[in-house]
Amino acid sequence: MTRDGRDASMSFHNQANGFTQQVLAAMDAAGLADPAIARAYPAPIKDKAAHFHRWLTEGVAPGDTDGTPQMSFFHTEQTWWDERYRPNVLLAHYNDLKAYLDGEMRRIARFLGIEVAEARWPELVEAAGFHAMRRNGEALMGRYAGLFTHGAQGFFHRGDNARWRGVFADEDLARYDALVASRLSPDCAGWVADGRRGADPG
């Protein structure tokens, strides 16, 4: 599952700033206990532009130069793209799910070998839409809703794209473009930016 990196960073900014203090303390302990990381979880940054700058310029795992507080975005995207033809790998993109939810759900069901009665598809597609998931978030997330200070409503925040426009610094947007060009193959870059419209993962 992928999403344009700028949108992914913006979305994770909301999630990271929504974690409860108990969750942050647990992640601190996990990071300190892991010899490969050996540090507390990077404290969430309130400012969206500053969060994006750190996400672009700092790594959290050995060898990573981006992605904080997660693993390297660019490494993750390229390595999954390289494995896209494995029989047990299916790539999906956030943009495609938003634009073609019915078709993408059918594609995923075929891959998983799940047969669905045709009459049930409208109900399932409606239930998988963002607004329905947000409305039913507490039931869908169960105990995981408790990871966030505002519960499921905090996790299912906006669900839209391009909220970074006018927020991130021009220098960091140029830095993002340079990393896309240097770290992703052209077909992978097209996939990350635009999903199946940018490149067909096969």
Side-chain angles (χ1 to χ4, degrees):
M1 183 70 202
T2 196
R3 192 176 187 182
D4 181 287
R6 295 160 296 192
D7 292 314
S9 178
M10 180 68 91
S11 178
F12 193 73
H13 173 268
N14 177 73
Q15 289 185 30
N17 279 278
F19 288 138
T20 66
Q21 289 304 310
Q22 292 86 349
V23 169
L24 292 172
M27 291 193 293
D28 282 346
L32 289 166
D34 187 330
I37 298 174
R39 58 184 279 200
Y41 184 78
I45 297 176
K46 294 293 185 186
D47 181 76
K48 296 177 177 68
H51 168 89
F52 183 61
H53 178 80
R54 182 175 71 175
W55 183 83
L56 287 171
T57 58
E58 295 181 23
V60 70
D64 284 355
T65 56
D66 69 274
T68 295
Q70 301 166 298
M71 307 298 282
S72 168
F73 173 82
F74 300 97
H75 177 75
T76 299
E77 298 305 322
Q78 186 63 57
T79 51
W80 277 108
W81 179 261
D82 292 343
E83 302 298 330
R84 66 193 181 279
Y85 294 122
R86 286 190 177 213
N88 62 340
V89 171
L90 180 72
L91 301 186
H93 198 286
Y94 190 87
N95 290 5
D96 296 328
L97 288 168
K98 282 184 66 71
Y100 320 111
L101 182 56
D102 182 284
E104 284 297 285
M105 288 176 63
R106 290 172 187 267
R107 185 172 73 93
I108 294 167
R110 283 193 303 272
F111 178 80
L112 296 173
I114 297 172
E115 294 186 14
V116 179
E118 187 62 32
R120 292 215 60 200
W121 277 109
E123 170 193 353
L124 295 175
V125 171
E126 195 283 328
F130 180 82
H131 295 294
M133 289 195 294
R134 192 169 200 270
R135 185 173 61 247
N136 301 311
E138 297 297 328
L140 290 171
M141 293 183 70
R143 64 188 180 90
Y144 293 102
L147 301 177
F148 301 93
T149 54
H150 298 293
Q153 294 295 302
F155 178 80
F156 293 107
H157 180 54
R158 293 274 297 273
D160 50 8
N161 288 328
R163 289 188 294 117
W164 50 267
R165 295 186 186 280
V167 174
F168 297 161
D170 290 343
E171 295 84 355
D172 283 331
L173 291 172
R175 186 176 281 112
Y176 175 82
D177 290 340
L179 286 168
V180 167
S182 65
R183 300 281 304 280
L184 304 181
S185 62
D187 51 358
C188 179
W191 162 252
V192 168
D194 294 312
R196 294 172 73 84
R197 291 178 302 172
D200 190 342

